[in-house]
Amino acid sequence: MIARRLRQKVSLLRALPIGVVAPALLLGQGLGRWGNFFNQELYGGPTGSSWWGITIAQWGRVQQYADLSKFPLDTRFHPTFFYESAWNLTGAIVLLWVNRKAGSETPGVTGRRLKRGDLMALYFLWYGAGRLILESTLRVDAFTYTTGGLPTGVVFALGWLTAGAALLISNRLRSPAQSRALDA
């Protein structure tokens, strides 16, 4: 269908099923975070619980938790990969719901409340908010890499939030004629 629309010289933005891209990105990122579990990386500090959290082998621990006399092998750490995975999978469901409830991205459909690019803006906002929370509160290795004195993950999260807000605002400021030009 996409190839046929492109052969008919329909713009790429109109040919792509944009409403599917943003939820699919969150779904992929949510599933991909489980690689961090198998690699024993990107975890938070100790939970203080005997039942909640994950154990990290000595080889996978950051230096501040490598001392087994203070943090024995059965110490449980916050599974930040799981938190982010759950956040992203929830986000995928929310974006699919918003797309269904707020209207179609198909040009000419009456009652359309979403503009082209709105779901992508919501993706940027959702993903950025989740990363900002995790990077600034739970990640133990957040200051391993810094940019301008801030953890690089926080800088990227702020970038996602800024991009999402800018896209959403620009969509609201765009005139109907400009929106139709994008759809042509």
Side-chain angles (χ1 to χ4, degrees), residues 1-16 107 116 181-184:
M1 179 175 126
I2 293 172
R4 181 177 52 122
R5 292 180 98 182
L6 289 175
R7 280 194 303 271
Q8 294 171 346
K9 298 194 180 188
V10 174
S11 77
L12 183 61
L13 278 177
R14 189 171 179 194
L16 288 175
R116 187 164 298 279
L182 278 177
D183 290 337

Side-chain angles (χ1 to χ4, degrees), residues 124 128 153-165:
F124 289 150
V154 169
V155 172
F156 278 108
L158 291 171
W160 286 115
L161 288 168
T162 303

Side-chain angles (χ1 to χ4, degrees), residues 4-172:
R4 181 177 52 122
R5 292 180 98 182
L6 289 175
R7 280 194 303 271
Q8 294 171 346
K9 298 194 180 188
V10 174
S11 77
L12 183 61
L13 278 177
R14 189 171 179 194
L16 288 175
I18 302 295
V20 177
V21 172
L25 283 171
L26 283 171
L27 178 64
Q29 288 171 316
L31 295 175
R33 277 294 164 205
W34 283 86
N36 300 129
F37 169 71
F38 295 111
N39 293 333
Q40 297 204 353
E41 59 189 7
L42 306 181
Y43 52 89
T47 63
S49 172
S50 61
W51 64 273
W52 176 249
I54 56 171
T55 57
I56 302 293
Q58 188 174 13
W59 60 264
R61 293 184 179 196
V62 294
Q63 187 173 355
Q64 71 191 74
Y65 296 115
D67 184 356
L68 294 181
S69 64
K70 291 181 185 175
F71 305 99
L73 287 175
D74 63 349
T75 302
R76 297 193 169 272
F77 295 89
H78 281 282
T80 57
F81 75 91
F82 174 75
Y83 301 154
E84 186 172 347
S85 178
W87 176 261
N88 288 339
L89 295 175
T90 301
I93 293 167
V94 167
L95 290 187
L96 288 170
W97 180 82
V98 165
N99 192 37
R100 183 174 171 87
K101 291 293 181 186
S104 171
E105 288 190 344
T106 306
V109 173
T110 58
R112 181 173 124 186
R113 291 173 292 209
L114 283 179
K115 292 187 176 189
R116 187 164 298 279
D118 280 354
L119 277 182
M120 214 52 194
L122 292 175
Y123 158 76
F124 289 150
L125 291 168
W126 185 275
Y127 184 72
R131 286 304 294 261
L132 183 63
I133 291 166
L134 288 174
E135 296 284 342
S136 61
T137 60
L138 291 175
R139 287 275 302 276
V140 295
D141 61 344
F143 280 93
T144 303
Y145 304 102
T146 60
T147 304
L150 288 173
T152 303
V154 169
V155 172
F156 278 108
L158 291 171
W160 286 115
L161 288 168
T162 303
L167 182 56
L168 210 53
I169 291 167
S170 73
N171 273 352
R172 295 295 163 262

